[in-house]
Amino acid sequence: HEYTHGLVDEIITIYFPYWGETGNMNEGFADYFSATINNNSCLAEGFIIGGTCLRQLNNTKRYPEDYDPEPHGLIFQGALWDLRELLGKDLTDNLVVSAMRLQPADFTDYLEDILIADDDNGDLEDLTPNRTEICKAFYKNHGIYSDYCIKGTLKGTVPMNNGTPFYTLDQNPKECGFLIENDTCTQT
C-alpha cells in the first residue's frame, strides 16, 4: 500500500494534492494495488481485531452521494475493483497504470484516461474494446460520469419508461444512468 503511494508520486507529476478527488485517487491506487496483489478485495484482512477489513473495495459507494473529500473514501477503489472483476487482473492492472500516466486531475479525467488507454484507434467516439465494462464499473456502479459513457453507447433502442416510449440511446436522459440493452428507465 505505502509503496504504491511512492509510485503515484513518480508516475503522476502534475499537482496532485492529498485531498479531494486527487487524494481519493491516490489512496484508491494504493488500496487497489494492495488488494489486487493479494487477490482479495478485503484490504488488510484481519488488521482490525474483531473486524474483517481495514477497507472493503467490493462496495456500492457512489459519487456524489457517498463522496467525502477526506482521501479514504471507497468510491474510486470500488470502481477499480469492479473493473478488475469485469476485465481480469492483468488487463485492469495495465489499464490502471496506463491511465495514471495520462495525468488525471479528477475522477472524470481518470475515467476518460482509462478509456483512452483502452482505445485501439485514437477515436473514443466509436467506442473502445472494453468501454461497456469500464463505464459499468465507473459510471453505472459508482456514479463517476463521463460523456463517453453515454454517447455512442449501443446501436438500436433501449426501452424506457417501462418500455414506452422508445428512445434511441443518444436521447437517453442522463438521469437514467448508463443503460445497456434491455434496461429500462423510470425517469420521464
Side-chain angles (χ1 to χ4, degrees), residues 83-131:
L83 187 60
R84 182 186 191 270
E85 293 291 299
L86 293 166
L87 297 180
K89 177 192 181 313
D90 293 340
L91 178 55
T92 301
D93 291 357
N94 286 325
L95 287 173
V96 168
V97 173
S98 295
M100 287 170 66
R101 290 186 175 122
L102 297 173
Q103 309 302 307
D106 58 36
F107 290 162
T108 297
D109 275 358
Y110 188 77
L111 168 53
E112 292 175 357
D113 289 345
I114 280 223
L115 290 166
I116 290 167
D118 185 55
D119 190 37
D120 58 358
N121 69 355
D123 182 6
L124 292 181
E125 292 291 330
D126 71 351
L127 312 182
T128 72
N130 299 292
R131 187 201 81 30

Side-chain angles (χ1 to χ4, degrees), residues 3-175:
Y3 182 80
T4 305
H5 285 302
L7 291 176
V8 170
D9 289 345
E10 288 296 315
I11 294 171
I12 299 178
T13 59
I14 63 169
Y15 180 64
F16 206 72
Y18 191 75
W19 189 257
E21 290 184 29
T22 53
N24 274 265
M25 287 191 292
N26 193 325
E27 207 49 51
F29 295 133
D31 285 354
Y32 171 76
F33 279 106
S34 296
T36 196
I37 287 168
N38 290 313
N39 198 31
N40 186 351
S41 66
C42 180
L43 183 68
E45 188 169 22
F47 178 78
I48 300 172
I49 297 172
T52 56
C53 305
L54 183 60
R55 287 187 286 282
Q56 177 57 262
L57 278 61
N58 186 11
N59 67 69
T60 58
K61 302 283 186 184
R62 292 188 54 77
Y63 185 84
E65 50 269 37
D66 296 315
Y67 175 72
D68 185 339
E70 196 283 324
H72 294 90
L74 293 168
I75 297 166
F76 189 73
Q77 294 91 314
L80 295 177
W81 188 261
D82 285 0
L83 187 60
R84 182 186 191 270
E85 293 291 299
L86 293 166
L87 297 180
K89 177 192 181 313
D90 293 340
L91 178 55
T92 301
D93 291 357
N94 286 325
L95 287 173
V96 168
V97 173
S98 295
M100 287 170 66
R101 290 186 175 122
L102 297 173
Q103 309 302 307
D106 58 36
F107 290 162
T108 297
D109 275 358
Y110 188 77
L111 168 53
E112 292 175 357
D113 289 345
I114 280 223
L115 290 166
I116 290 167
D118 185 55
D119 190 37
D120 58 358
N121 69 355
D123 182 6
L124 292 181
E125 292 291 330
D126 71 351
L127 312 182
T128 72
N130 299 292
R131 187 201 81 30
T132 298
E133 293 83 1
I134 293 167
C135 290
K136 180 178 182 183
F138 280 82
Y139 181 46
K140 186 172 185 178
N141 293 0
H142 294 280
I144 298 172
Y145 175 79
S146 167
D147 284 341
Y148 291 107
C149 288
I150 301 295
K151 294 180 181 175
T153 50
L154 299 167
K155 294 182 179 174
T157 59
V158 173
M160 297 176 62
N161 299 324
N162 296 319
T164 312
F166 286 87
Y167 292 96
T168 66
L169 288 163
D170 290 338
Q171 297 169 326
N172 283 344
K174 180 178 170 184
E175 295 78 30

